Amino acid sequence: MKHRLIFTSKKLLRMALLLLGVSLAAFLLMCASPLDPLQTNVGQAALGTMSQEQLDQLEDYWGVNDPPLQRYLGWLGDFIRGDMGTSLLYRQPVGQVIGQRLQNSLWLMAFAWVVSGVLGLTLGVLAGANRGKLVDKAVRGYCLLLSSTPAFWLGLVLLVVFAVWLGWLPIGLSVPIGMDAASVTLSHRLYHAILPALTLSFTGVAGIAMHTREKMADIMESDYVLFARARGESARSIVLRHGLRNVILPAITLQFASISEIFGGSVLVEQVFSYPGLGQAAVNAGLGSDLPLLLGITVVSAAIVFGGNFIADLLYGVVDPRIRRGAARG
Amino acid sequence: MEPILEVKELSISFTQYSRGTMQTELPVIRSLSLTVAPGQVVAVVGSSGSGKSLLAHGILGILPYNSHRAGELFFLGQPLTQERMEQVRGKEMVLVPQGVTYLDPLMQVGPQLWKGSRDGTHRKRSRTALARYGLGEEVEGLYPFELSGGMARRVLIATAAMEQPRLVIADEPTPGLDARSARRVLGHFRELAEGGAGVLLITHDLELALTIAHRVAVFYAGETVEEAEASDFAEGRLRHPYTRALWNALPQNGFTPIPGTQPGPGEVGEGCPFAPRCPRQGPECLGKVPYMEWNGGRVRCLHPEGETV
């Protein structure tokens, strides 16, 4: 148990350092950008009507001329106390905006994550276990086609087919247009999430399936599968008993590493579907020079991606007997 | 007595892509003949790269998909077809592989022994087999990485012993073991033979093979060049020049090497593959060399030892 605790605390420490690094890098990039804090806060028109004295006063008030390090430390101090600043675009605390957006996105990403994982694993195992056969060729062709298709283009095609031509699914947004927020139900939300989630999962499937296929093909050529065949185990039993068991470890890594891809994909997909999620907020924050929001989203998404990998590491310790028992004895 | 396994002129080749889409056949085993009788340990001795493991895979029907097998195989008097191989492997015909990598690294020993069956008879049989090799019940709960080298070897032999096989094929069962453990492992195979099974022991170690084998088939560049009784070696009744060279290369017999190397697959012509290294070769050795009865054994040589006798 002790080693598990040490492992976990080491990882958490590393996470804190990573987040520090990410926020610092993002902050410095924003400092280096030609954005004028006064102009973005007050607006071009209002800025023109102010006297130099007023401008100096404002600059002083917002600390525009403070050295970057001091400004960063100020932001960091507030961040640690849970205050991420106020979003300029939404006129709300950044934490609140992110929380809201994340709730919308979480549906989308969780669905896409599960679907791409399950579908990718299934296709990969099927292809790897039947390498060189028709199933394998079909899966590979499908994956190559899919991975060479940009997510936003696929989103547009799905929109055209299912929303415009067939009219089965809504064309965008996360809730029906003009509906009172109080009367929006879960089914409304799910209904609106179908298309963006499908688009998002399709792009993830290809990578997971191809990687799983490779692993599965290696397993099928391993000594222990050869021996299982020599002992008269059927092909079915070999795939189910040995194949799946051994492919599950790389699959865990793939699945949790794909969180970052899903996150990245969601930025494009939410834009195409006008889905008010975190990805869209990130785009808006970037285009609208909303620095506090952009910084907040950067840090939060880094934390989520790191969290995914962290969970994968912890699961490894539970699933792999070589780590579980090896560490427990050593 | 009817032989358990009879292999006649077995050949195994691989289909390869050479340039672009040009396919070539690469023969790895060309003319392999041997016989295993009940209660007998037959050692197949050859240096690395002579295609020994493929022999085991060929008999069990687990060759890779791009390979091709020709020649005649008989198991218990009946032709051994691919279908029959699939029926009898793991039951009447078992493999004892080289090492721990042949066990699923993520599955405990017990479930591997039971092959997915949950009924009590498998459990009982595996327990008896483990006990026979001095392994306790607790071994069933261990993962392969928790086994020592010697334990892993005994677990692998237990997989064979629990099936009550007629033919045991042991593919290099001793590397990595010290001389004493290796002898003990080989002793287990001798026991299986004494129980009436035929044992085909595939190894590169002539010296170790001679400690337990009844008969020895010497394998060179994909061919059996000689079949001899184990006693022939000590009594100097050898037939093929390569066998002689192998024997002389043993430390206690002078440690004498011969020049040259064994030709690889595809580098062999129609004639005797050993001819370039052979002290007794003549121009006729470039033609086809038959496998013939000679002096109580069999040899594939035009000028076997004892020719003038």
Side-chain angles (χ1 to χ4, degrees):
Chain A
M1 204 56 229
K2 196 174 156 215
H3 68 277
R4 196 71 57 81
L5 276 176
I6 293 173
F7 175 78
T8 309
S9 37
K10 264 189 193 162
K11 282 273 171 189
L12 286 176
L13 184 71
R14 194 176 293 178
M15 178 169 180
L17 286 174
L18 178 95
L19 291 184
L20 206 66
V22 165
S23 62
L24 185 63
F27 189 86
L28 290 177
L29 278 175
M30 288 170 194
C31 280
S33 77
L35 285 174
D36 178 7
L38 277 192
Q39 188 184 320
T40 46
N41 271 299
V42 182
Q44 181 72 45
L47 207 60
T49 61
M50 287 184 189
S51 68
Q52 190 56 44
E53 214 168 87
Q54 284 175 304
L55 288 178
D56 287 344
Q57 229 172 350
L58 267 180
E59 281 193 354
D60 221 34
Y61 174 67
W62 274 322
V64 175
N65 297 318
D66 290 346
L69 188 67
Q70 194 182 331
R71 278 184 284 156
Y72 175 70
L73 288 178
W75 174 85
L76 190 65
D78 287 344
F79 181 83
I80 287 168
R81 261 172 273 136
D83 176 13
M84 290 194 264
T86 306
S87 161
L88 302 176
L89 287 174
Y90 297 91
R91 299 291 164 196
Q92 280 171 347
V94 166
Q96 203 177 323
V97 176
I98 290 180
Q100 232 167 38
R101 291 304 178 120
L102 198 57
Q103 230 176 4
N104 284 338
S105 280
L106 227 46
W107 282 110
L108 200 65
M109 290 194 281
F111 179 84
W113 188 63
V114 170
V115 168
S116 64
V118 170
L119 209 61
L121 184 70
T122 315
L123 289 179
V125 166
L126 270 178
N130 297 290
R131 202 165 69 142
K133 298 202 186 123
L134 193 66
V135 192
D136 179 34
K137 284 179 182 153
V139 169
R140 253 189 316 166
Y142 171 76
C143 289
L144 287 178
L145 191 72
L146 222 57
S147 56
S148 48
T149 310
F152 69 90
W153 183 82
L154 187 69
L156 288 175
V157 170
L158 288 179
L159 262 186
V160 168
V161 174
F162 290 100
V164 180
W165 290 352
L166 296 172
W168 291 351
L169 294 164
I171 198 146
L173 306 178
S174 67
V175 290
I177 298 172
M179 186 179 265
D180 186 5
S183 52
V184 172
T185 61
L186 183 64
S187 62
H188 282 131
R189 288 187 180 280
L190 287 178
Y191 181 58
H192 280 75
I194 292 175
L195 267 190
L198 273 184
T199 313
L200 202 50
S201 53
F202 273 159
T203 52
V205 166
I208 293 189
M210 291 305 271
H211 280 110
T212 310
R213 171 188 177 272
E214 230 25 68
K215 292 287 169 202
M216 192 66 193
D218 286 349
I219 291 169
M220 294 308 280
E221 283 185 1
S222 70
D223 288 346
Y224 53 89
V225 164
L226 187 78
F227 186 47
R229 282 172 66 204
R231 294 185 72 211
E233 286 191 43
S234 66
R236 204 182 115 85
S237 148
I238 287 174
V239 171
L240 294 181
R241 259 161 55 82
H242 302 293
L244 281 184
R245 180 183 300 264
N246 282 278
V247 94
I248 207 75
L249 287 174
I252 286 176
T253 312
L254 276 176
Q255 181 65 10
F256 283 93
S258 79
I259 289 180
S260 65
E261 279 172 46
I262 295 267
F263 232 101
S266 77
V267 174
L268 288 173
V269 169
E270 287 178 6
Q271 203 60 24
V272 170
F273 289 94
S274 316
Y275 195 88
L278 199 61
Q280 203 198 30
V283 173
N284 287 345
L287 294 177
S289 316
D290 189 345
L291 293 190
L293 183 59
L294 195 55
L295 202 53
I297 290 177
T298 308
V299 173
V300 167
S301 42
I304 291 177
V305 170
F306 189 94
N309 289 325
F310 178 55
I311 293 173
D313 283 339
L314 287 182
L315 276 180
Y316 250 74
V318 178
V319 176
D320 191 339
R322 284 164 297 196
I323 299 177
R324 187 178 63 227
R325 290 214 186 164
R329 286 183 313 161
Chain B
M1 213 180 330
E2 189 182 59
I4 286 184
L5 178 75
E6 232 184 317
V7 181
K8 286 183 184 164
E9 297 294 301
L10 173 75
S11 70
I12 294 171
S13 57
F14 283 84
T15 308
Q16 280 194 326
Y17 286 97
S18 51
R19 249 169 299 144
T21 54
M22 288 272 291
Q23 286 193 346
T24 50
E25 285 287 313
L26 182 72
V28 181
I29 293 183
R30 290 171 312 125
S31 323
L32 194 151
S33 303
L34 54 87
T35 309
V36 182
Q40 226 179 29
V41 178
V42 175
V44 176
V45 178
S47 55
S48 331
S50 54
K52 299 184 304 274
S53 286
L54 278 181
L55 165 64
H57 300 171
I59 297 171
L60 289 157
I62 50 172
L63 289 168
Y65 65 97
N66 61 340
S67 60
H68 179 73
R69 182 181 57 221
E72 285 181 286
L73 291 164
F74 295 91
F75 181 61
L76 301 172
Q78 300 289 315
L80 188 55
T81 56
Q82 180 70 31
E83 292 74 47
R84 186 124 184 272
M85 288 173 184
E86 285 166 20
Q87 278 167 18
V88 298
R89 70 186 180 207
K91 301 185 192 81
E92 291 162 272
M93 195 161 77
V94 296
L95 174 71
V96 177
Q98 295 183 21
V100 72
T101 56
Y102 287 81
L103 292 174
D104 187 332
L106 300 183
M107 196 187 277
Q108 287 162 328
V109 168
Q112 300 209 48
L113 286 169
W114 308 325
K115 287 194 268 193
S117 146
R118 298 200 176 276
D119 61 26
T121 55
H122 271 83
R123 243 161 236 250
K124 226 164 99 186
R125 267 162 43 194
S126 76
R127 202 151 289 175
T128 318
L130 287 176
R132 180 170 170 183
Y133 299 113
L135 298 171
E137 222 173 277
E138 72 285 352
V139 173
E140 289 181 348
L142 297 180
Y143 285 94
F145 78 97
E146 295 170 305
L147 302 172
S148 71
M151 273 165 97
R153 231 57 74 114
R154 281 180 282 162
V155 166
L156 291 171
I157 299 175
T159 65
M162 66 177 278
E163 306 288 350
Q164 283 132 9
R166 302 300 305 276
L167 176 67
V168 179
I169 303 173
D171 185 7
E172 294 276 12
T174 53
L177 295 184
D178 60 80
R180 230 188 60 197
S181 317
R183 254 185 219 112
R184 192 163 57 207
V185 165
L186 289 183
H188 296 320
F189 288 110
R190 183 95 189 201
E191 277 166 34
L192 287 170
E194 277 155 13
V199 175
L200 186 64
L201 173 69
I202 299 173
T203 177
H204 68 278
D205 193 334
L206 176 62
E207 191 189 354
L208 210 55
L210 285 174
T211 61
I212 68 149
H214 299 94
R215 289 170 65 76
V216 176
V218 180
F219 200 54
Y220 184 79
E223 296 183 351
T224 34
V225 294
E226 172 166 353
E227 274 178 85
E229 296 296 322
S231 54
D232 291 351
F233 283 84
E235 291 160 18
R237 199 166 46 236
L238 296 179
R239 296 157 190 86
H240 198 281
Y242 176 65
T243 315
R244 171 64 66 192
L246 213 55
W247 175 249
N248 287 342
L250 292 181
Q252 65 274 34
N253 301 336
F255 224 159
T256 324
I258 57 164
T261 51
Q262 171 179 258
E267 296 170 8
V268 194
E270 205 201 335
C272 173
F274 187 63
R277 303 169 75 185
C278 181
R280 308 159 76 98
Q281 58 122 340
E284 62 284 357
C285 294
L286 295 173
K288 195 142 179 59
V289 183
Y291 196 42
M292 55 182 187
E293 301 284 335
W294 187 263
N295 216 353
R298 288 201 278 179
V299 68
R300 194 188 304 277
C301 184
L302 295 171
H303 305 292
E305 281 188 25
E307 192 178 21
T308 50
V309 178

